[in-house]
Amino acid sequence: MVGNHNFVRLDTSHLPSPCHVIDLVRLEDNLKLLKRVADESGAEVLLALKAFSCFAVAELISKYLAGTAASGLYEARLGKTRFGGQMHAYVPGLRDEDVDELLTHADHLILNSLGQWHRFRGRLEARPGKSFGLRVNPGHNEVENPLYDPCAPWSRLGAPASGLKAEDLEGLSGIHIHMLCDHDYDAFDRMLDAVETNCGHLFGSIDWINLGGGLLVTEDNFPANKLICRLQEFRSRTGLHVILEPGTAVALHAGALVSEVLDRSTNVGAFAIMDTSATCHMPDVIEAPFTPDVLGAQTLPRETEPRPDIPDIVRLGGPTCLAGDIIGTYRFKNPPKVGDRLVFLDLAYYTMVKATTFNGTHLPALALWDSATDTLDVVRTFSYKDFESRLS
Ligand SMILES: Cc1ncc(COP(=O)(O)O)c(C=O)c1O
């Protein structure tokens, strides 16, 4: 995603490599916009921890957002203990042994099915002051890639709205819907229409509706005022309390991954081996797939053929033994040399949370960068201990 960011001003020479760099200025700009949406629309905005859980910036985030949304027990604990504020948990596969601890952290718990609700209801209702909801699939699709479409036919995420009656929600106070992935306002607008059409029969039985994440509120030129008006109008007509839980939008254009060129060579086309890996540090690059942008280079389609006649076209890959550990193919004005640092843009959300040490590969360090004052603070580095401690 190319957008406004400050990384052209980043001096990478003082950083360890590889290293995630979070730009505090852009992060705070994103948070200010999300808070404006919350304040002016009356909706509650949470951070979806699955996308971005970096608690080195928890204090900044909790200044602007009402709390966090978790997808598992440990995220719920991290949200409550490191970020504070309201903690909303939705765990598709709820383990019997996790329920009690989950309720010590979560203020709101969303069940994935009515079966889950009936199985755990007694234990849940024994905890005063908690609110419970049901994940509902409205049966409307906006996402093309099935990997990211929670509303596809046969989706295991949420109870199909068409099979639900208002009385099924007895004892529950809300519903949770998540349908978007990196979408713009128009998709949100269509989503809310579909939610009203397909889930409107449930509104009389609930107090709140969580509309999930996937909306790029902080993308350049996003029509925030339209979103605010739509939410205000929806709230006043339905009387429902509205919750949004963006992940990507919180850290959009605020994070980068700095990486060094370890080797250059040629096999039909030119390639470089980096000290960061697609499979270890950016698995969505392979799963989605997508190609992250590199500062100062043109991103070429993933299917680009090797070109022995064009040395400016370089394929970048990771240091692991996986043949498919390919980050992408790029056209450079000045092809990088061994020892050069490259900046992969928009690699903070869904990357830090997913990183692994396959092949004994280093985990990227983490630095906070104030792009206004050019102050860098390396807050975390990793070592052999982090690799070893998970293996026995
Ligand atoms: C239930 C739920 N809420 C929120 C999010 C956050 O979405 P995004 O990071 O795209 O804003 C996701 C992403 O998968 C999700 O599944």
Side-chain angles (χ1 to χ4, degrees):
M1 260 172 284
V2 186
N4 272 324
H5 62 82
N6 300 315
F7 290 104
V8 271
R9 300 203 300 272
L10 177 70
D11 175 0
T12 60
S13 62
H14 305 299
L15 289 164
S17 183
C19 185
H20 283 290
V21 181
I22 307 295
D23 172 13
L24 299 172
V25 173
R26 177 65 201 232
L27 179 63
E28 190 159 14
D29 286 347
N30 290 348
L31 292 165
K32 282 181 182 160
L33 177 59
L34 291 167
K35 181 164 165 48
R36 180 164 85 80
V37 169
D39 290 346
E40 295 181 20
S41 71
E44 186 177 345
V45 180
L46 310 169
L47 161 68
L49 291 170
K50 73 184 75 188
F52 186 66
S53 311
C54 173
F55 60 84
V57 289
E59 207 178 309
L60 183 66
I61 289 174
S62 54
K63 235 172 93 180
Y64 294 98
L65 302 187
T68 53
S71 311
L73 176 63
Y74 294 160
E75 273 189 5
R77 179 171 170 180
L78 189 83
K80 197 62 182 179
T81 57
R82 292 286 186 173
F83 290 79
Q86 289 293 301
M87 155 42 48
H88 296 234
Y90 158 64
V91 183
L94 195 51
R95 292 172 3 137
D96 195 288
E97 60 267 46
D98 288 350
V99 170
D100 294 322
E101 190 190 336
L102 192 55
L103 285 172
T104 65
H105 309 304
D107 304 295
H108 307 258
L109 181 63
I110 295 139
L111 290 309
N112 192 48
S113 66
L114 283 175
Q116 249 188 5
W117 168 234
H118 295 136
R119 199 153 59 249
F120 295 116
R121 181 171 181 174
R123 278 162 73 190
L124 302 185
E125 288 186 334
R127 304 292 286 258
K130 308 284 175 186
S131 145
F132 306 106
L134 180 69
R135 167 95 177 231
V136 173
N137 177 348
H140 167 88
N141 311 61
E142 287 291 338
V143 180
E144 276 170 26
N145 185 345
L147 189 62
Y148 301 117
D149 183 6
C151 299
W154 267 45
S155 171
R156 69 192 196 294
L157 304 171
S162 55
L164 285 174
K165 297 188 288 301
E167 53 270 31
D168 293 333
L169 301 188
E170 194 272 314
L172 296 167
S173 43
I175 60 172
H176 179 231
I177 280 135
H178 172 74
M179 196 190 282
L180 304 179
C181 179
D182 291 349
H183 277 97
D184 61 8
Y185 174 77
D186 292 342
F188 178 84
D189 201 36
R190 288 192 297 273
M191 172 186 100
L192 205 48
D193 284 345
V195 168
E196 292 206 51
T197 306
N198 301 345
C199 306
H201 62 292
L202 306 173
F203 289 179
S205 315
I206 53 173
D207 302 324
W208 53 261
I209 183 164
N210 182 329
L211 295 172
L215 181 61
L216 293 182
V217 180
T218 52
E219 186 54 283
D220 308 335
N221 304 321
F222 182 90
N225 291 338
K226 269 192 186 172
L227 174 66
I228 290 166
C229 291
R230 182 78 162 100
L231 289 170
Q232 275 170 346
E233 187 274 330
F234 177 81
R235 284 183 56 243
S236 65
R237 193 158 36 75
T238 60
L240 295 176
H241 174 64
V242 174
I243 301 152
L244 303 175
E245 46 180 40
T248 301
V250 173
L252 190 65
H253 306 320
L257 180 55
V258 172
S259 171
E260 192 164 305
V261 178
L262 299 179
D263 197 13
R264 285 292 321 266
S265 198
T266 305
N267 176 4
V268 189
F271 66 85
I273 293 189
M274 308 298 300
D275 66 0
T276 190
S277 151
T279 190
C280 297
H281 306 147
M282 38 180 121
D284 288 351
V285 161
I286 296 173
E287 283 176 22
F290 82 99
T291 305
D293 289 314
V294 171
L295 205 60
Q298 182 195 354
T299 305
L300 300 177
R302 287 192 83 71
E303 54 284 1
T304 301
E305 296 286 332
R307 292 288 303 261
D309 53 325
I310 311 184
D312 304 359
I313 293 182
V314 183
R315 174 170 272 191
L316 306 182
T320 73
C321 66
L322 178 74
D325 189 358
I326 303 298
I327 303 169
T329 305
Y330 303 85
R331 186 169 202 146
F332 291 88
K333 258 202 194 115
N334 301 306
K337 304 178 295 302
V338 171
D340 283 355
R341 297 272 171 101
L342 297 180
V343 178
F344 291 92
L345 295 171
D346 261 304
L347 287 180
Y349 47 86
Y350 295 109
T351 50
M352 292 165 65
V353 290
K354 288 190 171 188
T356 67
T357 54
F358 176 57
N359 273 203
T361 304
H362 284 93
L363 285 168
L366 172 65
L368 305 183
W369 176 51
D370 183 331
S371 57
T373 58
D374 196 20
T375 316
L376 265 175
D377 183 12
V378 178
V379 292
R380 184 79 160 93
T381 53
F382 297 91
S383 67
Y384 174 71
K385 277 271 157 237
D386 299 289
F387 167 70
E388 186 195 40
S389 65
R390 287 173 51 210
L391 296 176
S392 357

